[in-house]
Amino acid sequence: MTTPTESAVNSAAGTLLPHSAIYCLALGYDREEFRLMARKAEDAGLPHMAEEYHQQADLAAGLHHAIRWRSCEDIELIGNHWEPLLAAVVRREAYELVEADRARKLLTENPNDPSWREIWRWELDRAVLNAEKLARLKTKLTAVRDAFRTPSA
């Protein structure tokens, strides 16, 4: 690896420990989505597509395990698996942004219901906070992607 690539990998690897819960949230979401897509592909009679989705679900599960149990070095994990991590973070960020929009919409539709207002306010705050964290992780992982895609890498 070149110096810019090493720098980007080290910077992204520094996010694994403090943000492991967010990474695990994104990977857990990916695992379940890929399992659902595999089931749909099996039902549609597409075994090759189902197998591909099962493999992606297994990769997400393996990365989730590696991050949760700290079973490998952070630099090695980011250096070798930045693509599925970036994809999971992007998908989960999109989900959180949709949830925040839904909560905003429900808050404006029912402004006088105090019990539901608390629930949707909490949901909005949670979704916005998670989306902000995921955006920061996406920036770090995008820097890794760009570093690996430069001709000097």
Side-chain angles (χ1 to χ4, degrees):
M1 276 193 276
T2 62
T3 304
T5 306
E6 288 175 12
S7 175
V9 168
N10 288 338
S11 178
T15 65
L16 277 176
L17 184 59
H19 297 293
S20 62
I22 292 291
Y23 278 112
C24 287
L25 177 70
L27 290 166
Y29 177 78
D30 257 18
R31 182 185 65 234
E32 294 306 315
E33 286 297 310
F34 284 130
R35 291 209 193 290
L36 178 63
M37 288 190 286
R39 206 170 309 128
K40 286 180 180 180
E42 288 167 352
D43 292 345
L46 303 167
H48 290 78
M49 187 175 278
E51 178 61 28
E52 184 177 326
Y53 287 139
H54 278 302
Q55 288 175 357
Q56 289 176 334
D58 292 342
L59 176 60
L63 290 172
H64 182 277
H65 179 82
I67 290 172
R68 183 169 183 214
W69 295 104
R70 315 281 302 149
S71 60
C72 69
E73 294 293 322
D74 294 351
I75 293 172
E76 178 185 347
L77 188 69
I78 293 290
N80 294 325
H81 301 290
W82 61 268
E83 290 173 292
L85 289 171
L86 177 59
V89 164
V90 167
R91 281 188 286 269
R92 186 61 194 199
E93 181 191 19
Y95 174 83
E96 294 292 349
L97 292 172
V98 167
E99 285 296 306
D101 287 344
R102 185 173 69 100
R104 277 188 204 96
K105 178 183 172 199
L106 289 166
L107 279 168
T108 57
E109 287 177 359
N110 302 317
N112 297 328
D113 189 354
S115 59
W116 284 105
R117 184 167 182 73
E118 283 183 40
I119 292 168
W120 292 118
R121 182 90 236 145
W122 176 85
E123 186 67 29
L124 175 63
D125 293 344
R126 182 204 58 79
V128 168
L129 180 67
N130 283 347
E132 288 170 358
K133 288 179 185 177
L134 288 159
R136 286 193 300 271
L137 299 178
K138 181 176 71 173
T139 301
K140 298 279 188 180
L141 291 168
T142 301
V144 172
R145 179 198 65 197
D146 294 344
F148 271 108
R149 289 185 177 173
T150 56
S152 61

